[in-house]
Amino acid sequence: MGRPLFEAHGISMQLDDNRRWLFKDIDIELNQREILVLQGPSGTGKTTLLKCLAELIPYTSGYSKLRGKKPVEYELGIPGWRSRVMYIPQRPTAHPGCPLDLFNIVKKFSSQKVKKDIGDPIQIGMQWNLSESHFTEKWSNLSGGEMQRCALAIAICFKPDVLLLDEPTSALDPDSAGKVEESLKKFACIWITHDSRQADRVGTRHITLSRSHPSTPTDSEYEENQQVNMPKRRQEQQPQRSRRLSPSAFRGGLPVDIT
Ligand SMILES: Nc1ncnc2c1ncn2[C@@H]1O[C@H](COP(=O)(O)OP(=O)(O)OP(=O)(O)O)[C@@H](O)[C@H]1O
């Protein structure tokens, strides 16, 4: 096997409050058109893990690479990384204006401007039971499911290499959800879902996070292709020191990187 499209090694997050490990030593490999499904009970750190992989929040140790390069090795650094390894939240943050306004603003960001062949969110939305008018409607007038699809359509227009999807169909009816699923299968995704049938439909790899406790530091189960490898411990990687990111690094909750 050649180099994976995306890889993460030993990603760990220790919480400040009681030094509890939220997750520890998560290893990920992802190739083109693969979907890694991330599951686990509420509060086990799934969203936090996606934000770590997008370099939106600092984490305790570990590192990720896309096409063999670490975030800092990309032109524009972390913002360049986030435009390629893109986190898409479950609920879009309230934005002023309409979805098309957001699309036009994001197009001007330096991390996106360099991209050629930016897609048309309206064309994508129309494959998912949306119409053009949804993209010119104020965000505040859209339903949860309409907002979710508009934000996702805008994000994939920018053709990220890896989509980090936080319950991308949680607000959708089954027909729309099925159409979105089909579109997303063309991408490399790390996909949080609580729906085990969806996990079976879309997943080519699987990780399940379990609850950790202050007294049992390593409590992440790593499950790949249905085979559970009980807690994977750090192997050869040296832990990195906790990284401090600038305030702009904490812009979670946006459908796309806005730097
Ligand atoms: N920096 C932090 N300091 C303290 N606690 C934190 C920090 N970051 C995350 N947490 C806690 O870690 C837990 C995991 O949150 P997270 O949203 O990642 O869980 P989740 O598995 O995605 O849950 P859900 O399925 O409900 O969306 C939460 O209890 C959260 O409050």
Side-chain angles (χ1 to χ4, degrees):
M1 275 293 282
R3 185 182 67 198
L5 171 71
F6 176 85
E7 59 197 295
H9 299 280
I11 305 288
S12 306
M13 171 69 108
Q14 189 171 31
L15 301 180
D16 290 335
D17 49 7
N18 54 4
R19 310 305 293 160
R20 176 170 71 97
W21 290 96
L22 186 57
F23 46 78
K24 197 161 191 289
D25 292 339
I26 303 288
D27 294 334
I28 290 171
E29 274 196 10
L30 197 67
N31 294 306
Q32 304 276 9
R33 289 175 171 253
E34 278 196 318
I35 295 181
L36 185 151
V37 168
L38 187 53
Q39 291 182 279
S42 198
T44 47
K46 302 179 296 298
T47 296
T48 306
L49 175 57
L50 289 196
K51 289 182 178 175
C52 293
L53 298 176
E55 303 288 342
L56 283 162
I57 56 172
Y59 42 98
T60 311
S61 57
Y63 64 93
S64 306
K65 286 183 176 182
L66 177 72
R67 301 182 192 281
K69 281 164 63 176
K70 289 186 176 181
V72 291
E73 296 176 277
Y74 276 90
E75 200 187 335
L76 301 175
I78 301 282
W81 173 269
R82 290 193 209 134
S83 71
R84 292 173 173 84
V85 181
M86 191 181 282
Y87 173 67
I88 298 148
Q90 184 180 1
R91 287 178 212 85
T93 309
H95 292 285
C98 66
L100 217 46
D101 293 336
L102 176 68
F103 175 65
N104 288 323
I105 291 168
V106 174
K107 261 203 307 199
K108 295 186 185 133
F109 294 145
S110 46
S111 55
Q112 304 294 352
K113 247 188 335 202
V114 292
K115 293 188 181 170
K116 299 184 176 64
D117 190 26
I118 292 172
D120 177 356
I122 297 171
Q123 292 299 320
I124 296 167
M126 283 164 71
Q127 296 166 27
W128 300 342
N129 300 333
L130 290 175
S131 61
E132 187 167 354
S133 62
H134 289 111
F135 288 86
T136 53
E137 187 62 69
K138 278 188 188 162
W139 285 100
S140 53
N141 291 341
L142 295 174
S143 74
E146 289 162 351
M147 274 195 242
Q148 200 170 33
R149 279 170 291 168
C150 285
L152 192 55
I154 291 169
I156 69 175
C157 277
F158 293 98
K159 304 197 168 62
D161 293 295
V162 178
L163 287 166
L164 304 175
L165 302 166
D166 203 340
E167 301 187 52
T169 64
S170 58
L172 304 188
D173 61 83
D175 181 62
S176 301
K179 288 176 173 164
V180 170
E181 275 182 19
E182 279 311 305
S183 302
L184 293 175
K185 282 181 186 168
K186 300 185 191 98
F187 290 84
C189 305
I190 303 178
W191 182 322
I192 296 176
T193 181
H194 285 288
D195 177 345
S196 54
R197 281 179 296 186
Q198 182 175 66
D200 291 343
R201 276 196 305 274
V202 302
T204 58
R205 296 175 185 250
H206 300 260
I207 288 181
T208 302
L209 297 184
S210 59
R211 284 192 198 291
S212 63
H213 309 281
S215 54
T216 55
T218 300
D219 204 14
S220 294
E221 288 177 358
Y222 185 92
E223 186 180 344
E224 185 163 344
N225 294 333
Q226 312 300 331
Q227 289 184 335
V228 178
N229 302 315
M230 276 308 281
K232 269 199 118 179
R233 294 187 182 270
R234 179 174 307 287
Q235 290 152 6
E236 65 280 3
Q237 297 98 22
Q238 290 298 314
Q240 295 179 348
R241 291 291 108 216
S242 182
R243 276 178 249 178
R244 287 241 154 269
L245 302 180
S246 69
S248 65
F250 291 85
R251 287 179 179 143
L254 282 167
V256 284
D257 166 57
I258 64 156
T259 309

